[in-house]
Amino acid sequence: MSTPGRLLARTTSLATLIAGIAIALMMLHVSLDVAFRYLLGAPLPGTLTIVTYYYMVIAAFVPLAFAELRRAHISMEIVTDLLPRRGRNMLEGWMLVPTGLVTGLLTWRGFEEALKQQAIGAAQIQGSSSIPIWPAYYALPLGAGLMTLLVVYRFVNFLRRRPDDLPAAASDREAGL
């Protein structure tokens, strides 16, 4: 695997690990909140805000690139399965362009919104405390940005007629897919 491909794969795996940790923390946080509420009569403050604005957002957007790395995004193959292998490869290669444009746009607009929310110090009031939520706005540009980099990397390899050397592609080739 080339150095850029290895770096992209490792960065994507790290981002996915962070999302997995967010899911584990969310389960722990909610469980503790329920336990504290029913055993001690006092729920953990800010649980709803932290779960909604941090854990769920990180879990939803940060691993977007991992799905691209593993070629695990939902696809309809009714028409493409009828094409010869070369036609299917061409279609898959050229479809990386609109995919990259959409994820690039999501990255750009998401980053603009994150900067705007940071500038105003966006926060959510829950109970008697104010919980800053602006850091969570960076999850979308992070996930979409990594996905954009993977799509661009795949498209460059497609144009150069080089095989896709990312981990999922290598395992797909071994399986004969």
Side-chain angles (χ1 to χ4, degrees):
M1 184 181 333
S2 68
T3 303
R6 192 172 17 260
L7 180 63
L8 277 171
R10 286 184 180 161
T11 304
T12 300
S13 295
L14 177 62
T16 305
L17 177 64
I18 291 168
I21 290 169
I23 291 170
L25 287 173
M26 178 173 54
M27 291 187 312
L28 179 64
H29 195 147
V30 170
S31 296
L32 285 173
D33 183 59
V34 170
F36 279 35
R37 174 175 288 135
Y38 290 106
L39 297 176
L40 305 175
L44 292 174
T47 298
L48 181 62
T49 299
I50 293 169
V51 166
T52 304
Y53 286 94
Y54 283 95
Y55 300 138
M56 292 179 110
V57 171
I58 290 169
F61 294 119
V62 172
L64 282 174
F66 187 73
E68 176 60 31
L69 179 69
R70 298 291 184 216
R71 294 184 182 269
H73 285 289
I74 297 170
S75 63
M76 271 184 58
E77 298 161 347
I78 295 170
V79 175
T80 57
D81 280 350
L82 300 174
L83 295 173
R85 187 172 197 73
R86 181 170 160 72
R88 192 174 4 175
N89 290 342
M90 291 296 286
L91 182 61
E92 286 175 4
W94 285 106
M95 286 309 297
L96 292 169
V97 174
T99 302
L101 290 173
V102 168
T103 58
L105 182 64
L106 274 172
T107 304
W108 171 45
R109 293 292 296 140
F111 189 69
E112 280 184 342
E113 186 63 26
L115 289 174
K116 186 184 341 174
Q117 295 300 318
Q118 182 179 0
I120 65 171
Q124 188 76 24
I125 305 296
Q126 188 168 0
S128 62
S129 57
S130 174
I131 301 170
I133 60 168
W134 63 263
Y137 281 84
Y138 286 97
L140 173 62
L142 173 64
L146 276 172
M147 185 170 163
T148 302
L149 291 174
L150 282 170
V151 167
V152 167
Y153 179 77
R154 280 202 163 118
F155 186 66
V156 168
N157 278 342
F158 167 74
L159 289 177
R160 295 170 77 187
R161 297 177 194 244
R162 289 192 175 170
D164 190 342
D165 62 353
L166 293 170
S171 63
D172 288 347
R173 279 194 300 276
E174 291 167 6
L177 300 175

